[in-house]
Amino acid sequence: MSVKKKRGRRHCPPRRDMDRREFLADAAKMGAAIAAAGALSSCGKTLQLHKHFAELSPEEVKVVLEKLENEYRQDTGRDVSISAEPAMEGVFFGYALDLSRCVGCRKCVYACVEENNLSVDPQMHWITVHEMDKAGGVDLSHSDRYYDHPVVPDPGHFYMPISCQQCRNPPCTKVCPTQATWQEPDGITVIDYDWCIGCRYCMAACPYGARHFNWGEPQPDEESFNSETHYLGNRPRPKGVVEKCTFCIQRVRKGKYPACVEVCPVGARKFGNLLDPESEVRYVIENKRVYLLKEELNTRPKFFYFYGT
């Protein structure tokens, strides 16, 4: 007697409905993995194959830095010193900016460009300064970041510089498929440019527009080029990666202020260790009217706007 097999799905795995979000997430992960593999296999630079910076031993870091310095010297003819100064213990950096003092001179923008070797062709700025009407208050949807007045501040306006907010809960680090961006122990969110594949997921995740993509081969200013660089900061970046403000990591880890703080002519910018009760930034938080940009998003910025007067 023969037994006929019943038709149906008895031999198939149980069906699980996949919604649109799951499908897009799986597709994104697969696409990113393929892109990463292609980027690593097709690049001629052997350094692209080294481990994530956070996983390197001190000896491996030294080798990587020496190879990078040699490559930059061969490619550009410039001598570049690349450090890997680690985070200091007991330090968690924070920033404060006095909106009542800022005059919109943009000297912070120019200092940042020089200090961090930002491209001038195509142009790259990590800091943008927004001009707004005093009567309307903080209203970024009606701000002007391309104002051009003979003299600033322009009557009836105030100015709000915006750069990376160095969030304690950064959405940008959560979406990176190659883990090329992370937050350091001192609170600085960094990027390993050798592992960035240019997918720009972090740009989409950042609610502050603080990440910038290199569409062209970056060309820093030859006359003001800063040869003292940091692996996770102002070292020369290639085309096709994302970059951002790092609180001038090459300076602050040596006990200096960020370039934008030093250059501000009206003292609107404050910087320091949030764990130090005697620091300027702690004084501001505890004694001034403090405003967090897009606080409702729970990104928990370490960049505090305040009104000193």
Side-chain angles (χ1 to χ4, degrees):
M1 180 177 178
S2 62
V3 179
K4 294 183 180 180
K5 293 183 179 179
K6 295 182 180 179
R7 294 183 180 181
R9 295 179 179 176
R10 186 177 59 174
H11 300 288
C12 299
R15 178 178 176 178
R16 184 177 70 87
D17 293 332
M18 177 179 288
D19 63 22
R20 182 172 178 272
R21 289 185 179 181
E22 288 180 299
F23 174 79
L24 291 176
D26 290 345
K29 290 178 181 178
M30 181 174 294
I34 294 172
L40 293 174
S41 62
S42 62
C43 182
K45 301 289 187 181
T46 56
L47 286 177
Q48 291 285 353
L49 300 176
H50 72 67
K51 295 187 296 185
H52 283 83
F53 182 78
E55 300 174 354
L56 296 175
S57 67
E59 293 76 18
E60 290 172 326
V61 169
K62 183 177 180 181
V63 171
V64 168
L65 298 183
E66 289 178 352
K67 287 185 177 181
L68 277 173
E69 290 174 347
N70 290 333
E71 285 188 355
Y72 293 145
R73 189 178 300 111
Q74 294 173 5
D75 293 344
T76 66
R78 288 192 297 255
D79 286 326
V80 177
S81 174
I82 306 175
S83 70
E85 197 79 25
M88 293 181 284
E89 292 186 6
V91 173
F92 201 63
F93 289 120
Y95 206 114
L97 196 150
D98 190 345
L99 292 176
S100 62
R101 286 178 180 263
C102 180
V103 295
C105 64
R106 291 198 182 102
K107 288 189 176 181
C108 54
V109 177
Y110 309 138
C112 176
V113 169
E114 292 187 5
E115 173 65 31
N116 293 292
N117 298 321
L118 302 194
S119 177
V120 295
D121 184 23
Q123 191 177 75
M124 176 80 71
H125 289 163
W126 288 351
I127 302 173
T128 57
V129 183
H130 296 251
E131 181 183 72
M132 287 172 267
D133 293 330
K134 286 184 177 180
V138 176
D139 184 3
L140 292 176
S141 62
H142 292 91
S143 66
D144 182 8
R145 52 186 288 191
Y146 303 107
Y147 60 89
D148 185 17
H149 306 303
V151 179
V152 289
D154 190 56
H157 294 93
F158 74 99
Y159 301 87
M160 185 175 185
I162 298 178
S163 58
C164 177
Q165 303 292 292
Q166 297 293 350
C167 308
R168 280 175 285 181
N169 183 28
C172 54
T173 62
K174 300 174 183 178
V175 299
C176 180
T178 62
Q179 298 180 350
T181 182
W182 66 90
Q183 187 177 90
E184 287 277 281
D186 55 7
I188 301 177
T189 297
V190 296
I191 302 173
D192 186 340
Y193 304 114
D194 290 346
W195 275 87
C196 176
I197 60 174
C199 66
R200 291 171 283 161
Y201 289 173
C202 60
M203 293 177 63
C206 175
Y208 305 103
R211 288 177 171 250
H212 310 275
F213 183 72
N214 277 328
W215 289 99
E217 194 67 38
Q219 300 295 327
D221 191 336
E222 292 290 341
E223 295 182 1
S224 62
F225 183 81
N226 182 9
S227 62
E228 299 297 321
T229 71
H230 192 284
Y231 180 90
L232 297 174
N234 63 333
R235 67 179 171 107
R237 280 80 67 188
K239 175 182 177 181
V241 301
V242 176
E243 56 183 70
K244 60 179 285 297
C245 162
T246 63
F247 278 169
C248 287
I249 192 172
Q250 68 279 359
R251 295 174 59 89
V252 300
R253 287 190 174 177
K254 294 181 179 180
K256 300 179 181 179
Y257 282 121
C260 55
V261 174
E262 283 196 352
V263 78
C264 181
V266 294
R269 293 171 173 268
K270 309 297 180 183
F271 182 81
N273 181 8
L274 291 171
L275 304 181
D276 180 5
E278 302 299 321
S279 66
E280 285 184 305
V281 69
R282 274 286 295 273
Y283 178 85
V284 167
I285 295 172
E286 294 171 1
N287 296 280
K288 301 296 182 180
R289 292 182 298 153
V290 174
Y291 166 74
L292 295 178
L293 185 57
K294 301 185 179 181
E295 182 179 10
E296 68 278 7
L297 299 180
N298 195 35
T299 57
R300 303 174 66 199
K302 296 192 299 298
F303 198 112
F304 305 90
Y305 294 95
F306 70 101
Y307 299 90
T309 57

